[in-house]
Amino acid sequence: GKLSTAKAALNQTALPTDDLKRLLLTLDFEASRVELAKFAYPHVTDPQNFTRVYETLTFEASKRDVEQAASALRREQR
């Protein structure tokens, strides 16, 4: 549903972190938010603000998971 639609849209465009936050909050499940946040990292226009998406996550483990994925993508981009 929403997750697959969001991924398809992100493949076509980029968006600011604050817009991503609003999009994440439309998802009902933490696992979906984590999946979309990890997928969306390369599609944000302001990656320096990406840590703001952690505010949409409830669990510390989720925040670590997204942070590790974003770090790995940053290393790949170098």
Side-chain angles (χ1 to χ4, degrees):
K2 287 183 191 178
L3 179 60
S4 59
T5 301
K7 282 182 166 183
L10 281 172
N11 266 333
Q12 303 299 316
T13 190
L15 74 164
T17 296
D18 288 339
D19 288 349
L20 175 59
K21 278 179 57 177
R22 284 189 281 282
L23 180 59
L24 291 170
L25 289 171
T26 68
L27 300 174
D28 296 326
F29 300 105
E30 178 100 354
S32 296
R33 287 189 201 131
V34 168
E35 185 177 340
L36 184 58
K38 292 185 334 186
F39 177 84
Y41 179 78
H43 302 281
V44 294
T45 57
D46 55 345
Q48 70 277 11
N49 296 325
F50 188 77
T51 57
R52 293 179 187 169
V53 303
Y54 305 154
E55 298 166 10
T56 68
L57 303 171
T58 304
F59 304 109
E60 289 301 318
S62 298
K63 294 174 187 179
R64 278 192 306 273
D65 188 16
V66 173
E67 184 177 21
Q68 289 171 351
S71 291
L73 286 168
R74 279 192 299 274
R75 283 192 300 276
E76 286 177 17
Q77 292 174 347
R78 290 185 191 155

